[in-house]
Amino acid sequence: MSDDAEAVREVVATWMAASKNGDVAAVLALMTDDVIFMVPGQEPFGKDVFARLSDGMGNMRLEGTSEILELQVLGHWAFVRNHIELQITPPAGEPIRRSGNTLTLLRKDADGQWRIARDANLLTVRR
């Protein structure tokens, strides 16, 4: 595996760990400033909206796994196709389970760091 592919895998692992720990700052650092997220039923949104939505998660507990199904590095761009399983538990509520696929484009910035630039998230509620 190339160093770049390993670095991209590390971005995915860091994202999952930081999300689990509620470390919004660490998650935001993994994104380009012009990042765009696409999710079902909403208009695409950027980093500022992502930050607001993350702050709104409050004391919810997040558990999850991410399985990389495909990873390709193409120069300063890479894409990752993932299958994600999440469980989000509010402080006084029942867990919400989501699962599905994502397609993520990452860009290697001038500082040599890989960051998420585009993300299409197809997670849906599981029963």
Side-chain angles (χ1 to χ4, degrees):
M1 181 180 314
S2 74
D3 290 344
D4 284 326
E6 188 59 38
V8 168
R9 286 183 179 278
E10 186 61 31
V11 169
V12 173
T14 301
W15 180 286
M16 293 299 289
S19 295
K20 180 179 178 179
N21 293 329
D23 189 347
V24 176
V27 172
L28 293 173
L30 297 171
M31 300 175 200
T32 62
D33 288 337
D34 66 344
V35 68
I36 295 178
F37 292 94
M38 294 169 284
V39 298
Q42 293 183 37
E43 288 295 316
F45 57 91
K47 195 173 192 174
D48 57 335
V49 172
F50 184 96
R52 281 197 308 273
L53 292 171
S54 295
D55 285 341
M57 294 286 288
N59 295 324
M60 293 193 192
R61 191 175 78 238
L62 186 137
E63 300 288 329
T65 60
S66 171
E67 178 187 3
I68 294 176
L69 303 172
E70 185 177 6
L71 188 161
Q72 293 289 323
V73 176
L74 308 161
H76 289 315
W77 287 91
F79 73 84
V80 175
R81 188 172 57 89
N82 273 336
H83 185 266
I84 295 177
E85 300 274 343
L86 289 180
Q87 179 170 298
I88 304 163
T89 307
E94 293 295 315
I96 302 163
R97 292 176 181 85
R98 294 184 180 267
S99 65
N101 296 293
T102 65
L103 181 61
T104 305
L105 300 176
L106 298 96
R107 185 173 64 221
K108 191 174 189 178
D109 283 340
D111 64 1
Q113 297 300 306
W114 285 96
R115 290 187 179 85
I116 294 169
R118 304 289 183 270
D119 186 77
N121 179 320
L122 301 174
L123 274 61
T124 57
V125 175
R126 269 191 353 191
R127 306 240 184 253

